[in-house]
Amino acid sequence: MLRRPRRNRKSTVIREMVEETRLSVKDFIFPVFLIEGVNQKIPVASMPGIYRYSLDLLLEEVESCLKLGIKAFDIFPAYPEDKKDKWATESYQPDTFYLKAIHKIKSTFPEACVMTDVAMDPYSSDGHDGLVQNGKILNDETLEILGKMALAQARAGADILGPSDMMDGRVGYIRQVLDEHDFTEVSIMSYTAKYASAFYGPFRDALDSAPKMGDKKSYQMDPANYREALIEADLDAEEGADFLMVKPALAYLDVIRLLNDNYNLPIAAYNVSGEYAMIKAADEKGWLDGERAMLESLLSIKRAGANVILSYFAKEFALLSK
Ligand code: PBG
């Protein structure tokens, strides 16, 4: 035999030399949950190791991540029911705790990159990402609300806005609002191909943001569809997105590859709450080695073509790579 692929697997040194994909702490954005109050650190039952923090403790968490090399954070707020209404009005009140927290985190740690979420669900009494009328999700009326929310987040100091709502035209609409107010430097990471997925369950527990009625299938994509991701990506690229995101990650590695092959924009993938929960649950039961399963999953996301990975594993990965 002239060719023996096993020669390149014979030692750790050679295996590492020929490694095609390498993860780095620089690849990650760490999604974190914020609640109102002081000295609060409440575990998310379906996400072992993940907590909802009040701002004072979140600042400590951010500091410890920065020391480990995790420099980017996607911050999600959990609002009590009495702050929610049909129009997500709370989302753009300048003194709301989420916006004040963004400002505080940026002023305390200017080197941190802060991403925010643009969608109505945490503030909506209907639990939907858009405005609900007679059981329907209104598209263009939602854009106006998203525009106000995006502008408020830019004013609070966000570096990257993440529209996760899947309304048509929102990237262009938000870009225009930002530019009209001289926020030309604020980036947009669009949730380009966001699927109507079962894997968001634990996240909705963390935020108490599950839809009160119906599901999200009239705006999030059908898991059966692949080519349709190209339509969404075309629009987002034309409308000025700086990053294209695929979400969830593991069940959609083919879509990550598709967008990487067809667009020159950086590709992000969101390793979502359910993907995290599955590995944690199996690890707790002793059914698999959670650490190895985590590393293999994260590697597969990068190998599929994601330059940026949003993952609840970010800090654990950073601790391991110390
Ligand atoms: C909602 C939003 C969701 C996630 C991020 N933003 C849930 C949803 O669409 O219902 C999910 C993240 C995760 O599961 O980790 N705008």
Side-chain angles (χ1 to χ4, degrees), residues 125-317:
S125 47
D126 294 304
H128 274 286
D129 296 20
L131 186 60
V132 183
Q133 199 178 68
N134 303 324
K136 289 222 156 102
I137 314 296
L138 304 182
N139 194 88
D140 301 13
E141 292 77 355
T142 298
L143 296 187
E144 277 178 47
I145 298 168
L146 298 176
K148 288 183 195 169
M149 196 184 305
L151 184 58
Q153 293 174 356
R155 286 193 171 121
D159 298 286
I160 303 178
L161 306 188
S164 66
D165 55 285
M166 289 302 276
M167 296 301 119
D168 293 335
R170 90 273 206 212
V171 170
Y173 189 93
I174 291 170
R175 184 73 269 161
Q176 192 184 340
V177 170
L178 292 175
D179 290 355
E180 278 169 8
H181 292 83
D182 285 334
F183 288 108
T184 53
E185 284 191 4
V186 173
S187 313
I188 298 179
M189 181 181 290
S190 177
Y191 286 62
T192 298
K194 178 175 180 180
Y195 288 86
S197 171
F199 293 101
Y200 308 148
F203 174 96
R204 295 179 189 169
D205 293 344
L207 299 195
D208 289 322
S209 63
K212 303 275 165 39
M213 147 234 105
D215 53 39
K216 298 192 174 185
K217 290 181 185 166
S218 77
Y219 46 106
Q220 299 180 345
M221 283 176 60
D222 182 340
N225 292 358
Y226 174 76
R227 295 168 58 249
E228 192 184 346
L230 293 171
I231 300 178
E232 291 287 357
D234 273 348
L235 291 168
D236 286 353
E238 275 165 27
E239 292 175 29
D242 301 287
F243 303 79
L244 304 179
M245 190 207 290
V246 175
K247 178 183 178 184
L250 293 174
Y252 301 88
L253 295 175
D254 55 337
V255 182
I256 297 175
R257 170 52 52 202
L258 177 73
L259 296 197
N260 180 297
D261 284 346
N262 287 282
Y263 295 87
N264 297 327
L265 289 165
I267 306 300
Y270 200 138
N271 178 215
V272 299
S273 56
E275 299 175 326
Y276 176 87
M278 283 196 298
I279 291 180
K280 287 290 176 193
D283 179 68
E284 279 183 359
K285 280 194 170 272
W287 287 353
L288 50 67
D289 178 337
E291 197 174 290
R292 288 186 54 210
M294 164 185 85
L295 291 173
E296 191 175 328
S297 302
L298 295 172
L299 198 62
S300 76
I301 296 168
K302 187 158 184 191
R303 193 188 62 231
N307 316 86
V308 181
I309 304 173
L310 294 97
S311 177
Y312 303 97
F313 285 121
K315 189 180 185 190
E316 205 175 323
F317 174 81

Side-chain angles (χ1 to χ4, degrees), residues 45-67:
S46 45
M47 302 176 75
I50 298 295
Y51 300 86
R52 315 196 284 184
Y53 294 97
S54 55
L55 177 59
D56 52 337
L57 300 190
L58 184 59
L59 287 167
E60 289 174 15
E61 176 69 357
V62 167
E63 186 171 23
S64 85
C65 290
L66 288 170
K67 286 194 184 126

